[in-house]
Amino acid sequence: MFGFGSPSGGEFLLLLVVALMLFGRDLPKVMQNIGKGVRQFQSGLRGMESEVNRATYSTSSYKSSTAEPSSSRPIPEEEEDDEDDFDVPKFVPPTSAPVEEDKPENA
């Protein structure tokens, strides 16, 4: 019945009957809200797709041209790899033995 292919007419009819039993009079409102959600999802996908395309094409066009980089997305200058330039302190292992803490007996 519900295989890997697209649903047939009988399966759509069964889905319609189940939807009518679950939602009754509210079915038009439910379908309208589902339609709005699908439209919002599709517009979000289109927006993400356009951002990816814009980033891809602006980066590739910058690398191929000799023009100045755009101010909307600065590209960092290449520097020599200096592993000592990090702001994070280096780990220093403790020099003394661990000390046991006194735990309250009520816990």
Side-chain angles (χ1 to χ4, degrees), residues 79-90:
E79 296 180 6
E80 293 181 21
D81 291 334
D82 253 342
E83 294 183 16
D84 298 332
D85 288 344
F86 294 110
D87 293 336
V88 180
K90 292 187 177 184

Side-chain angles (χ1 to χ4, degrees), residues 98-107:
V99 179
E100 290 187 29
E101 295 181 13
D102 295 329
K103 294 184 180 177
E105 295 179 17
N106 296 350

Side-chain angles (χ1 to χ4, degrees), residues 9-24 27:
E11 293 169 349
F12 276 121
L13 184 62
L14 180 63
L15 289 173
L16 179 63
V17 169
V18 169
L20 283 173
M21 288 173 44
L22 289 176
F23 300 109
L27 187 60

Side-chain angles (χ1 to χ4, degrees), residues 15-61:
L15 289 173
L16 179 63
V17 169
V18 169
L20 283 173
M21 288 173 44
L22 289 176
F23 300 109
R25 292 183 186 173
D26 295 331
L27 187 60
K29 291 179 184 177
V30 169
M31 296 307 289
Q32 184 179 16
N33 289 335
I34 289 174
K36 286 180 183 179
V38 168
R39 280 191 300 269
Q40 289 176 351
F41 180 74
Q42 287 176 343
S43 68
L45 283 179
R46 275 189 237 113
M48 288 176 48
E49 184 178 310
S50 66
E51 283 185 34
V52 168
N53 287 340
R54 184 174 31 138
T56 302
Y57 293 131
S58 68
T59 303
S60 64
S61 65

